[in-house]
Amino acid sequence: MSLSRQQQFPRARTSVRAARRFADDTLAVWGISDRLDDVRLCTSELAANAVLHGVPPGREFSVRLVREGGVLWIEVRDSGPGWPVVRRAGGDDRGGRGLWLVNAVADAFEVRGEVVGKTVRVGFGSGSGQAGEECVSGASSGPSGRPGPSGW
C-alpha cells in the first residue's frame, strides 16, 4: 500500500521550519520513527534550497512525502530554473554543503526536470543496513552520480 501527503509553502524562510514540521507530523501519523533526524535534515535542506534558489518571487514550492513499501520518499518541487548540483564545499566557502549532506545521508538522491521547474527527491529505506539496497534495486545513475531508483 502506498501513502502520500503533500503541502504547498510560500517562498519565505519560515517555510523551512513549516516544511520540517509537516514532515514530522506526517511521519507521526504514519507511525514512522526510523531515521527521524535524517528525514528532518533532508527536508530542511531541500526546503531551504527551494526558498533560496528555486522558487521565483510570488510562487510557492511543494513538499510531498510518499511511503511506498519499505521506502520513504521526500520530494520538493519548485518552479524555478536551474539544476541543483551536489558539490563538496571548500573550507572557506560560506555555503554549498547542504546537498552534499543530503546526498550523504539519504539512501537515494534524484533530480527530475518538470515541464516547469524540477523535483528533488530523496529516499530512505526502512531498517538499518538494508535501506540502500531496497531503494536502489534496478537503479540507474542520477545527476549526482549516485544510484537512484529507476522508473522516473
Side-chain angles (χ1 to χ4, degrees):
M1 178 171 76
S2 181
L3 298 171
S4 174
R5 283 186 76 195
Q6 181 171 320
Q7 186 170 329
Q8 298 288 118
F9 297 92
R11 181 182 187 247
R13 289 179 186 258
T14 57
S15 291
V16 175
R17 184 177 340 116
R20 187 173 52 248
R21 192 170 332 137
F22 168 70
D24 280 342
D25 293 347
T26 298
L27 297 183
V29 167
W30 292 349
I32 297 174
S33 59
D34 286 351
R35 300 182 68 185
L36 290 177
D37 290 336
D38 293 343
V39 170
R40 287 179 184 130
L41 169 75
C42 290
T43 302
S44 294
E45 288 296 335
L46 296 180
N49 280 350
V51 169
L52 294 172
H53 308 293
V55 182
R59 297 256 178 112
E60 296 181 327
F61 69 97
S62 68
V63 176
R64 180 173 178 240
L65 276 74
V66 179
R67 182 177 178 185
E68 296 174 330
V71 181
L72 172 69
W73 293 100
I74 303 166
E75 301 174 348
V76 176
R77 185 176 191 285
D78 68 62
S79 58
W83 199 263
V85 176
V86 177
R87 64 182 181 92
R88 188 173 192 136
D92 293 335
D93 291 339
R94 296 188 74 170
R97 292 170 181 81
L99 283 182
W100 183 83
L101 286 169
V102 167
N103 193 40
V105 168
D107 298 323
F109 176 91
E110 299 176 348
V111 179
R112 175 178 66 187
E114 305 288 351
V115 172
V116 175
K118 72 236 158 247
T119 299
V120 181
R121 169 171 141 134
V122 295
F124 298 90
S126 62
S128 60
Q130 303 161 337
E133 293 171 20
E134 194 168 296
C135 282
V136 299
S137 61
S140 61
S141 182
S144 67
R146 183 173 183 165
S150 58
W152 260 65

